[in-house]
Amino acid sequence: MTTHGPVLPFWACGGCDAPWPCGTRRRELHAEFEDAPVSLSIYMGSYLVWAAEDLTWVPAGLLHRRFLGWVR
């Protein structure tokens, strides 16, 4: 189990205090979903929707890049 989970409602990383998902968590997620990139996109899309409810002051484009821009 990772320590790099989101701390709500600010969506900071519980392991390193960077914006979640941090670089470490992104690498972990890439490894977990190595053979299922579409599933990773759906998974992160659900987090995007959840985060958008908490981070109403953050522009939608920035949230999209943060949660989905790194997913291939």
Side-chain angles (χ1 to χ4, degrees), residues 27-72:
R27 286 187 296 279
E28 291 172 348
L29 287 165
H30 270 300
E32 288 174 38
F33 289 89
E34 183 176 4
D35 295 325
V38 173
S39 295
L40 176 57
S41 295
I42 293 168
Y43 181 73
M44 290 310 298
S46 69
Y47 274 110
L48 169 62
V49 171
W50 189 7
E53 293 173 359
D54 290 333
L55 303 174
T56 57
W57 64 90
V58 179
L62 290 177
L63 285 177
H64 184 271
R65 279 192 295 276
R66 179 173 164 180
F67 286 86
L68 289 170
W70 57 275
V71 177
R72 294 184 188 170

